[in-house]
């Protein structure tokens, strides 16, 4: 397996380009199953997870070709309706083919994703939504079998908590139903909006984008279209945090600053400088006192559905707060086990105590974090360890970096371009 070797203490300088959003690419790739013909998707990131989704689409009968950041997919011939366990266990977002397959062929057999490092990750809201639309679901040997005779009927669906992929799955099931579907307490993440734009371009009639109440007027059929994946706001936030954690000044291009309201606010409160342009953000950490790095104020955060602080940036922000000038309370409200990075950060000298869903981070200042061998446990935890390694004094080795490669396109090359002393080696 590969690992990263990081020589810390090097401020980041320069310009970095943001890739397309993993969590938009996955639902939009799945949505190509809704209509036959050639679909074109621009700005698709080349990641472990997007390659997994393309493999799943192939298993279902799709043909695809990549040219740079553009992927063309033909879904004329659907030869399969099953998403196998071997594949779903490596990427739970495979469940996003359920909605499109029900719309396209009235049947789907998808392995239950099972839990992952950060939590149980159930899909009960997805299944409850399908059942309201007239779908019959049953669990059989770890698989969900979902079927409907004829077209689904529009219904009113209420989500107990806003689920991102749950909203996306129910949207893709309801677009060709009869009648009208109202989705209440829908997720408002920008990635859901990206999917709504693609579905409407395919001929769907969805109102309420960016709100928690979506109205879907069922249509007879959809047609293939051309769409563009939005910039990855979590990748953007990861680089913003990395610059503040290491000092320096970086311009981040091809991003959407409006997708990061909560993080931007928190970084300004920490003492960072951020200037915003149309599709770019410049972040720096003004020198404070004699230190070559900004004196970071310790700030509390609580993770919430969009537009609240994203759970996908919680681990990265914790790596920053480790260097704060006081105590930061980090409250994780979305997933039940998203503190796997804490033990690894403590190996580097961090002072963190977990109290239920809260982590109490006592800042140790910007020169007491020490490099060490650490192990990645999940995608965002691995980004947290990279940030800590970049900021620490000495050498950090991050193992199991296949987690990182699921969601960050060319992270090592992008960081090297910013002057980081980081390289990938085989263990
Ligand atoms: C999406 O996961 C993202 N993944 C996650 O990003 C992200 O952390 C999460 O939304 C929250 O923003 C993709 O978009 C592919 P949820 P999703 O359904 O849809 C509970 C990353 O690092 N829930 O919004 O699976 C659930 O357990 C990944 O890129 C149910 O109880 O998350 C959680 O507590 C990690 N039953 C909460 O709702 C359900 O049927 C929100 O989960 C569905 C969800």
């Amino acid at each position: 397996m590969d690992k990263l070797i990081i020589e810390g203490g090097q401020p980041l300088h320069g310009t970095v380009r943001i890739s397309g959003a993993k969590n938009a690419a996955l639902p939009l790739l799945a949505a190509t199953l809704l209509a036959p013909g050639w679909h074109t998707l621009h700005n698709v990131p080349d990641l472990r997870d997007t390659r997994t989704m393309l493999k799943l689409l192939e298993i279902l009968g799709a043909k695809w070709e990549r040219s740079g950041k553009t992927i063309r997919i033909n879904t004329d011939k659907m030869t399969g309706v099953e998403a196998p366990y071997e594949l779903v266990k490596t990427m739970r977002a495979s469940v996003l083919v359920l909605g499109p397959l029900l719309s396209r062929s009235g049947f789907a057999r998808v392995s239950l994703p099972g839990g992952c490092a950060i939590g149980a990750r159930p899909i009960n809201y997805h299944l409850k939504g399908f059942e309201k639309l007239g779908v019959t679901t049953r669990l059989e040997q770890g698989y969900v079998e979902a079927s409907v005779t004829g077209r689904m009927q529009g219904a009113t669906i209420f989500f107990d908590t806003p689920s991102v992929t749950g909203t996306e799955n129910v949207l893709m099931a309801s677009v060709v139903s009869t009648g009208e579907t109202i989705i209440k307490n829908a997720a408002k993440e920008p990635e859901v909006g990206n999917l709504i734009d693609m579905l409407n371009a395919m001929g769907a009639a969805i109102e309420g984008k960016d709100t928690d109440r979506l109205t879907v007027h069922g249509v007879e059929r959809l047609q293939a279209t051309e769409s563009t994946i939005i910039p990855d706001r979590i990748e953007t936030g990861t680089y913003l945090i990395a610059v503040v954690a290491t000092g320096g000044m970086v311009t981040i291009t091809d991003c959407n600053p409006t997708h990061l309201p909560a993080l931007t606010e928190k970084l300004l409160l920490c003492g960072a400088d951020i200037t915003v342009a149309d599709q770019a953000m410049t972040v720096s950490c003004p020198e404070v006192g004699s230190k070559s790095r900004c004196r970071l104020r310790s700030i509390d955060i609580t993770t919430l559905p969009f537009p609240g602080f994203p759970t996908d940036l919680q681990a990265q922000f914790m790596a920053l707060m480790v260097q704060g000038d006081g105590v930061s309370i980090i409250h994780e409200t979305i997933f039940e086990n998203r503190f796997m990075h804490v033990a690894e950060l403590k190996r580097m000298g961090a002072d963190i105590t977990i109290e239920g869903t809260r982590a109490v981070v006592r800042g140790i200042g910007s020169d007491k974090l020490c490099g060490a061998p650490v192990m990645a446990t999940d995608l965002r935890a691995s980004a947290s360890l990279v940030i800590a390694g970049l900021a620490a004094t000495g050498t950090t080795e991050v193992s199991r970096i296949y987690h990182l490669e699921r969601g960050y396109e060319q992270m090592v090359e992008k960081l090297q371009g910013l002057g980081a002393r980081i390289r990938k080696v085989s263990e």
Side-chain angles (χ1 to χ4, degrees):
M1 287 199 274
D2 294 338
K3 64 182 176 182
L4 297 181
I5 313 286
I6 304 169
E7 303 299 334
Q10 182 71 25
L12 300 180
H13 286 279
T15 300
V16 63
R17 181 189 178 283
I18 295 301
S19 303
K22 166 179 82 82
N23 290 347
L26 297 175
L28 273 71
L29 285 166
T32 62
L33 296 169
L34 284 165
W38 280 101
H39 301 253
T40 301
L41 290 177
H42 299 295
N43 201 29
V44 183
D46 185 14
L47 303 166
R48 188 183 290 269
D49 275 10
T50 49
R51 291 194 287 271
T52 301
M53 180 59 83
L54 286 165
K55 198 180 299 176
L56 175 53
L57 295 179
E58 270 177 11
I59 290 171
L60 298 173
K63 305 265 179 287
W64 62 275
E65 58 196 30
R66 178 184 273 272
S67 162
K69 297 200 173 300
T70 294
I71 287 191
R72 296 183 70 238
I73 300 181
N74 184 292
T75 56
D76 282 337
K77 292 187 183 50
M78 298 314 302
T79 55
V81 284
E82 178 170 318
Y85 174 63
E86 298 66 41
L87 196 140
V88 176
K89 73 180 177 184
T90 68
M91 185 187 68
R92 59 180 312 286
S94 309
V95 296
L96 283 166
V97 301
L98 268 168
L101 285 175
L102 284 167
S103 292
R104 180 79 179 264
S105 53
F107 181 80
R109 188 167 189 274
V110 173
S111 166
L112 272 173
C116 74
I118 64 178
R121 313 293 298 275
I123 59 168
N124 55 318
Y125 301 158
H126 302 230
L127 303 182
K128 200 176 86 177
F130 294 146
E131 285 160 4
K132 293 279 282 207
L133 296 168
V135 173
T136 306
T137 66
R138 72 189 188 98
L139 301 186
E140 193 244 343
Q141 291 177 340
Y143 280 75
V144 175
E145 278 199 2
S147 59
V148 61
T149 309
R151 288 174 65 186
M152 286 173 264
Q153 300 90 27
T156 297
I157 293 162
F158 180 81
F159 278 95
D160 295 352
T161 59
S163 161
V164 174
T165 51
T167 301
E168 292 164 347
N169 237 339
V170 166
L171 273 173
M172 292 190 282
S174 61
V175 283
V176 290
S177 63
T178 59
E180 182 179 85
T181 295
I182 311 275
I183 303 175
K184 296 181 176 176
N185 203 20
K188 300 184 284 190
E189 272 68 5
E191 295 76 30
V192 178
N194 201 183
L195 175 65
I196 290 172
D197 288 344
M198 175 179 176
L199 295 174
N200 282 343
M202 291 173 73
I206 304 169
E207 295 159 3
K209 175 184 159 188
D210 296 335
T211 75
D212 63 1
R213 180 189 170 97
L214 300 174
T215 302
V216 185
H217 305 283
V219 295
E220 287 278 336
R221 70 177 54 78
L222 301 173
Q223 60 277 337
T225 185
E226 190 165 356
S227 306
T228 298
I229 308 292
I230 59 172
D232 194 317
R233 63 191 167 98
I234 304 304
E235 185 192 20
T236 306
T238 302
Y239 284 104
L240 284 169
I241 293 169
V243 176
V244 178
T246 58
M249 178 184 282
V250 167
T251 294
I252 299 172
T253 65
D254 299 79
C255 65
N256 186 331
T258 67
H259 289 168
L260 285 156
L263 176 67
T264 304
E265 176 63 24
K266 291 295 181 181
L267 290 178
L268 292 171
L269 289 173
C270 287
D273 271 344
I274 299 176
T275 53
V276 169
D278 182 24
Q279 294 181 348
M281 302 174 84
T282 298
V283 55
S284 63
C285 213
E287 293 202 8
V288 177
S290 59
K291 289 212 176 298
S292 63
R293 296 211 202 120
C294 64
R295 187 175 173 71
L296 277 173
R297 278 191 288 281
S298 292
I299 300 292
D300 298 345
I301 61 166
T302 297
T303 63
L304 288 168
F306 192 85
F309 193 97
T311 176
D312 292 350
L313 287 172
Q314 176 259 107
Q316 299 91 314
F317 194 79
M318 188 183 291
L320 182 65
M321 286 296 92
V322 164
Q323 308 174 78
D325 63 358
V327 177
S328 160
I329 308 290
I330 294 183
H331 186 194
E332 172 58 59
T333 71
I334 307 293
F335 290 112
E336 65 269 28
N337 190 35
R338 203 165 199 175
F339 287 142
M340 307 277 277
H341 43 287
V342 168
E344 301 303 306
L345 290 172
K346 290 174 79 165
R347 288 176 47 73
M348 300 175 72
D351 180 351
I352 308 170
T353 312
I354 296 176
E355 294 171 3
T357 57
R358 286 174 172 78
V360 179
V361 184
R362 291 178 180 80
I364 58 173
S366 61
D367 50 4
K368 295 200 178 59
L369 203 57
C370 298
V374 290
M375 185 175 78
T377 52
D378 59 88
L379 170 56
R380 306 305 175 180
S382 47
S384 167
L385 299 178
V386 170
I387 290 170
L390 291 169
T393 306
T395 304
T396 297
E397 293 190 2
V398 183
S399 59
R400 301 194 181 183
I401 58 165
Y402 56 85
H403 291 291
L404 197 69
E405 291 162 348
R406 295 188 52 173
Y408 288 97
E409 191 176 47
Q410 297 189 312
M411 179 181 246
V412 172
E413 293 79 2
K414 289 186 180 184
L415 287 172
Q416 287 171 341
L418 298 175
R421 291 171 303 204
I422 182 173
R423 60 194 166 86
K424 182 161 85 168
V425 299
S426 296
E427 274 196 290

